[in-house]
């Protein structure tokens, strides 16, 4: 028996399997050529950040558009940082936006699929099998350095370019079998380190699916693979798991890019085919003329729950994410107005290298468009669901008469040029407030040529003409008929040519009626509003407005 094999048995006496066993247990996936296997690998430490959702949707879309597989693996090797319930809340947030894993973790302590376990905390034996094999081949060794030893090393390296455990600093790299055995018999704890064969003068190359070709110096550090408790570091677990789960494309935050030389080296010493990396830059936000990362601490929109609370429909968020994920999405959308978003040919190559820019004004625009294309029943049911959770007052208004509410939401909807007033369900209470007595707040401010004197005359005439059996043309003709008797013209052009000859034009007349009925100068179709308010309410609001303007004169 060679010293390496003896050492492997000394370090891992309970490991009786070999890598071959797992290679067979988790065979290559039987997928079509070009199919991609991607994953989301969260640590269960908190809520889902918008950046996570973004990366996840990109990974998910890549798998789906190639008939591949998307799975979830939970990276819970640091049990101290674990937050109870984090996984189910993350999975719930993901499913809201249509990201449902084909396999892997599907609930708190729940998983499915043939490549598991998908909780890293349940894979200790697998990692140790690969670790043992590295020791057998002389590619890894135990390190007995204490925290103080490592601190001393850091102090010595203060002025060195390369910092870390390597070369002459790697004190335990060449310990003999006897020295190691003695340390172990003395009960000294150890970590397992990679015996790096990297050369500082050589470069490693890789082609990132997002960032393109990258060249970096090889890794020379003898990094820790297993901690003193036998649990792997992120690096080692990443290599073993993404290999055995047969991941083809690793989408992850670009803070990991500096570790790629190490990761490629690990794939090499473990005898694995390297994965393709796709490093996603953080989502950025403009601030004071500069850019900064979207921040969990400063930006409410960094939490994915924000969108549900505000009532952005999931369709809008998905549409927005694609807008910032791929530069050609908006062109595609213009050319394919009604196409399902899944049909978009997403490409990691068209992602921003420096970070997609988050802009709430753009989200608002996108969402107004999305909502404008929804039919009345969809708008009603989605906003009702939202209201039940986040705005009980709106829910109870709806419940008074659901057909009325649906009709209100249908004003200027379901036509060729629908209005784009609603960006999120929380806009609705204000948007429809004048359609309910409970929430109507009169405001008699006038604009244009309208004056209180003119208003009194217009409203008195209009009051006598209100007939809810009128169709839209008849209704508008009546408004035009009011013009002349009050000194206005029904013809805006005529007014513009000779403004001194008139008190106003038909626009001013309708503004007066609009303000009396809704308290606003801008609303959707006034004819539909009048019809829905009903005769009694219309007359009562006109009366109140007349009284108000008379007092004002
Ligand atoms: N658990 C790692 C993280 O949260 C995952 C990185 C990866 O996707 O490989 O950063």
């Amino acid at each position: 028996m060679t010293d390496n094999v003896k050492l492997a048995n000394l370090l891992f006496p309970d490991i009786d399997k070999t890598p071959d066993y797992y290679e067979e247990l988790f065979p290559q996936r039987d997928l079509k050529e070009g199919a991609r296997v991607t994953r989301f690998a969260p640590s269960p430490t908190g809520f889902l950040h918008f950046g996570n959702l973004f990366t996840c949707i990109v990974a998910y879309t890549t798998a789906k558009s190639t008939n591949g597989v998307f799975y979830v693996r939970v990276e819970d090797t640091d049990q101290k940082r674990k937050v109870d319930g984090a996984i189910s809340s993350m999975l719930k947030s993901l499913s809201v936006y249509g990201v449902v894993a084909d396999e892997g973790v599907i609930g708190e302590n729940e998983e499915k699929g043939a490549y598991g376990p998908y909780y890293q905390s349940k894979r200790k034996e697998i990692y140790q099998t690969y670790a043992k094999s590295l020791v057998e081949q002389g590619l890894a060794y135990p390190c007995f350095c204490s925290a103080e030893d490592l601190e001393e090393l850091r102090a010595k390296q203060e002025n060195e370019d390369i910092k870390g455990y390597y070369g002459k600093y790697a004190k335990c790299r060449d310990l003999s079998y006897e020295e190691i055995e003695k340390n172990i018999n003395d009960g000294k704890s150890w970590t397992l380190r990679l015996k790096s064969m990297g050369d500082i003068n050589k470069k490693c190359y890789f082609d990132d699916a997002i960032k393109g070709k990258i060249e970096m110096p090889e890794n020379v550090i003898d990094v820790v693979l297993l901690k003193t408790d036998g649990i792997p570091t992120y690096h080692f677990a990443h290599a073993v798991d993404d290999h055995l789960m047969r991941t083809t494309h690793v989408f992850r935050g670009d803070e990991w890019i500096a570790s790629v030389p190490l990761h490629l080296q690990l794939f090499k010493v473990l005898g694995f085919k390297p994965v393709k990396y796709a490093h996603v830059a953080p989502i950025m936000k403009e601030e004071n003329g500069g850019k900064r990362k979207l921040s969990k601490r400063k930006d409410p929109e960094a939490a994915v729950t924000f969108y549900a609370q505000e009532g952005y429909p999931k369709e809008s968020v998905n549409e927005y994410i694609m807008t910032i994920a791929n530069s050609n999405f908006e062109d595609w959308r213009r050319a394919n107005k009604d196409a399902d978003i899944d049909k978009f040919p997403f490409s990691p190559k068209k992602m921003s290298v420096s970070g997609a820019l988050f802009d709430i004004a753009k989200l608002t625009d996108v969402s107004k468009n999305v909502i404008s294309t929804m039919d009345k029943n969809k708008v009603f049911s989605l906003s009702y669901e939202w209201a039940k959770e986040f705005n009980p007052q709106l829910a109870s208004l709806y419940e008074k008469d659901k057909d009325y509410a649906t009709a209100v939401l249908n004003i200027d909807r379901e036509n060729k040029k629908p209005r784009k007033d609603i960006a999120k369900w929380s806009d609705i209470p204000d948007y429809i407030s004048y359609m309910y007595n409970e929430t109507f707040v009169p405001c008699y401010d006038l604009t244009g040529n309208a004056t209180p004197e003119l208003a009194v005359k217009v409203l008195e005439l209009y009051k006598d003409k209100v007939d809810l059996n009128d169709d839209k043309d008849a209704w508008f003709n009546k408004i035009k008929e009011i013009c002349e008797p009050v000194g206005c013209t029904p013809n805006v052009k005529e007014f513009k040519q000779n403004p001194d000859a008139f008190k106003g034009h038909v626009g001013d007349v309708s503004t007066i009626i609009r303000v009396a009925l809704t308290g606003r100068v801008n609303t959707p179709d006034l004819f539909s509003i009048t019809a829905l308010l009903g005769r009694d309410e219309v007359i009562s609001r006109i009366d109140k407005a007349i009284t108000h303007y008379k007092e004002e004169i």
Side-chain angles (χ1 to χ4, degrees):
M1 209 188 282
T2 67
D3 273 3
N4 285 337
V5 174
K6 255 164 65 188
L7 178 57
N9 287 332
L10 176 69
L11 298 176
F12 302 102
D14 301 330
I15 295 298
D16 55 6
K17 296 193 175 63
T18 63
D20 286 347
Y21 169 83
Y22 292 109
E23 295 297 327
E24 238 174 79
L25 190 61
F26 305 117
Q28 288 296 340
R29 291 170 185 270
D30 186 14
L31 294 169
K32 265 194 5 218
E33 177 80 24
R36 283 158 189 190
V37 180
T38 65
R39 83 305 190 268
F40 176 47
S43 303
T45 50
F47 66 85
L48 195 73
H49 188 270
F50 183 78
N52 301 137
L53 175 65
F54 180 80
T55 304
C56 219
I57 285 189
V58 164
Y60 177 79
T61 306
T62 300
K64 292 287 123 181
S65 63
T66 56
N67 294 314
V69 174
F70 172 80
Y71 71 89
V72 173
R73 174 174 76 231
V74 172
E75 309 218 316
D76 58 348
T77 50
D78 189 351
Q79 292 285 328
K80 283 194 293 293
R81 291 179 57 220
K82 195 170 165 220
V83 172
D84 283 339
I87 286 305
S88 42
S89 108
M90 279 189 189
L91 293 174
K92 192 173 156 230
S93 289
L94 288 179
S95 74
V96 167
Y97 299 102
V99 178
V100 179
D102 299 306
E103 68 178 52
V105 175
I106 50 169
E108 213 78 42
N109 285 319
E110 230 189 300
E111 52 177 67
K112 68 167 187 191
Y115 289 82
Y118 297 88
Y119 278 93
Q120 287 186 331
S121 56
K122 296 183 184 157
R123 299 174 64 80
K124 195 165 166 179
E125 197 187 347
I126 302 179
Y127 303 123
Q128 296 204 346
T129 300
Y130 281 87
K132 184 172 185 180
S133 156
L134 289 182
V135 175
E136 278 171 3
Q137 300 168 72
L139 296 168
Y141 63 91
C143 167
F144 298 93
C145 287
S146 62
E148 293 77 51
D149 293 334
L150 296 176
E151 195 40 59
E152 214 173 283
L153 182 148
R154 259 190 289 276
K156 272 197 216 153
Q157 288 182 333
E158 217 165 300
N159 300 318
E160 303 262 330
D161 284 345
I162 305 170
K163 297 184 173 29
Y165 203 88
Y166 72 101
K168 65 175 187 214
Y169 298 107
K171 273 199 335 204
C172 298
R173 188 172 163 124
D174 295 314
L175 293 181
S176 67
Y177 176 80
E178 288 69 30
E179 285 168 305
I180 294 172
E181 191 180 35
K182 177 169 186 314
N183 281 340
I184 290 192
N185 288 341
D186 288 350
K188 283 198 183 167
S189 64
W190 52 275
T191 59
L192 189 76
R193 286 187 184 272
L194 169 72
K195 197 176 247 178
S196 174
M197 51 6 169
D199 179 343
I200 191 63
N201 297 312
K202 286 200 185 140
K203 298 255 189 275
C204 76
Y205 303 88
F206 68 102
D207 191 5
D208 191 275
I210 297 171
K211 308 228 181 208
K213 292 200 166 46
I214 296 182
E215 171 186 309
M216 281 196 249
E218 280 188 3
N219 169 64
V220 292
I221 310 292
D222 289 354
V223 289
V224 173
L225 304 178
L226 298 178
K227 295 179 258 184
T228 48
D229 53 5
I231 299 287
T233 54
Y234 167 76
H235 310 297
F236 191 52
H238 153 55
V240 170
D241 291 348
D242 280 312
H243 169 69
L244 287 181
M245 294 178 187
R246 307 295 174 184
T247 311
T248 64
H249 287 60
V250 167
F251 284 86
R252 62 182 180 185
D254 70 359
E255 69 274 17
W256 292 112
I257 226 165
S259 307
V260 172
L262 163 64
H263 295 164
L264 291 175
Q265 196 174 81
L266 288 176
F267 276 81
K268 191 162 172 196
V269 294
L270 287 161
F272 303 158
K273 177 172 180 263
V275 287
K276 179 97 176 163
Y277 288 106
H279 285 99
V280 181
I283 306 281
M284 307 299 282
K285 199 173 155 157
E286 245 161 33
E287 195 179 63
N288 306 327
K291 278 194 206 171
R292 64 163 174 82
K293 285 186 202 170
L294 190 66
S295 140
K296 270 192 220 182
R297 218 165 21 86
K298 292 191 206 152
D299 307 310
E301 67 271 31
V304 170
T305 44
F306 167 85
Y307 304 89
Q309 277 158 16
E310 292 287 303
Y312 288 98
K314 64 173 199 294
E315 291 85 344
S316 301
V317 176
N318 282 331
E319 190 86 4
Y320 179 62
I321 285 181
M322 271 306 145
T323 305
I324 59 172
N326 253 194
S327 46
N328 56 331
F329 179 74
E330 284 183 277
D331 286 341
W332 176 84
R333 178 49 92 203
R334 266 188 288 275
N336 300 276
K337 285 209 164 54
D338 302 319
D340 197 295
I341 195 165
D342 298 346
K343 298 282 172 298
F344 171 64
F346 170 79
S347 160
K349 284 211 166 55
K350 297 210 172 76
M351 288 180 71
S352 164
V353 169
S354 58
L357 200 60
F358 184 92
D359 175 10
I360 203 114
K362 181 75 188 170
L363 167 64
T364 301
D365 272 0
V366 167
S367 191
K368 281 180 172 175
N369 264 324
V370 168
I371 293 178
S372 77
T373 64
M374 292 179 178
D375 68 27
K376 61 175 190 282
N377 292 323
K378 184 158 187 181
V379 173
F380 173 77
S381 64
L382 292 182
S383 59
Y384 183 36
E385 284 309 309
W386 172 83
K388 281 193 269 190
E389 196 171 346
F390 298 107
N391 192 322
Q393 199 200 3
L394 179 67
S396 60
L397 278 185
Y398 277 7
E399 279 154 12
K400 278 175 40 177
D401 183 346
K402 292 182 183 169
D403 291 339
Y404 178 79
T406 309
V408 167
L409 294 169
N410 198 36
I411 297 176
D412 284 341
R413 180 175 300 285
E414 295 189 7
N415 59 29
K416 267 219 186 90
K417 271 196 109 199
R419 273 180 74 105
K420 297 175 181 173
D421 297 301
I422 305 171
K424 51 189 189 301
W425 307 135
S426 53
D427 291 341
I428 291 184
D430 176 63
Y431 181 64
I432 64 170
S433 61
Y434 53 80
M435 297 306 292
Y436 290 89
N437 275 339
E438 293 87 331
T439 50
F440 173 49
V441 183
C443 167
Y444 298 112
D445 296 349
L446 295 166
T447 55
N449 307 298
T451 59
E453 290 84 356
L454 184 62
V456 171
K457 287 185 197 147
V458 166
L459 293 173
E460 279 177 341
L461 285 180
Y462 179 65
K463 191 178 152 187
D464 292 338
K465 289 180 183 284
V466 173
D467 181 351
L468 292 196
N469 295 319
D470 288 344
D471 64 12
K472 192 162 178 178
D473 287 341
W475 168 82
F476 195 55
N477 281 335
K478 284 183 175 171
I479 291 187
K480 286 199 236 164
E481 278 162 28
I482 296 174
C483 291
E484 249 173 74
V486 300
C488 294
T489 164
N491 185 334
V492 182
K493 231 195 224 155
E494 191 180 18
F495 176 83
K496 282 195 179 142
Q497 278 160 2
N498 201 358
D500 294 338
F502 304 100
K503 290 210 161 61
H505 55 75
V506 65
D508 299 307
V509 171
S510 40
T511 295
I512 289 168
I513 300 171
R514 192 184 303 276
V515 167
L517 295 184
T518 67
R520 301 186 185 189
V521 288
N522 246 317
T523 69
D525 180 39
L526 188 57
F527 170 73
S528 311
I529 291 173
T530 313
L532 280 170
L533 284 176
R535 187 181 164 79
D536 292 350
E537 189 59 27
V538 169
I539 300 291
S540 141
R541 291 189 187 184
I542 290 174
D543 281 339
K544 285 185 189 134
I546 293 173
T547 311
H548 172 90
Y549 290 126
K550 279 188 172 156
E551 278 167 13
E552 221 179 273
I553 295 170

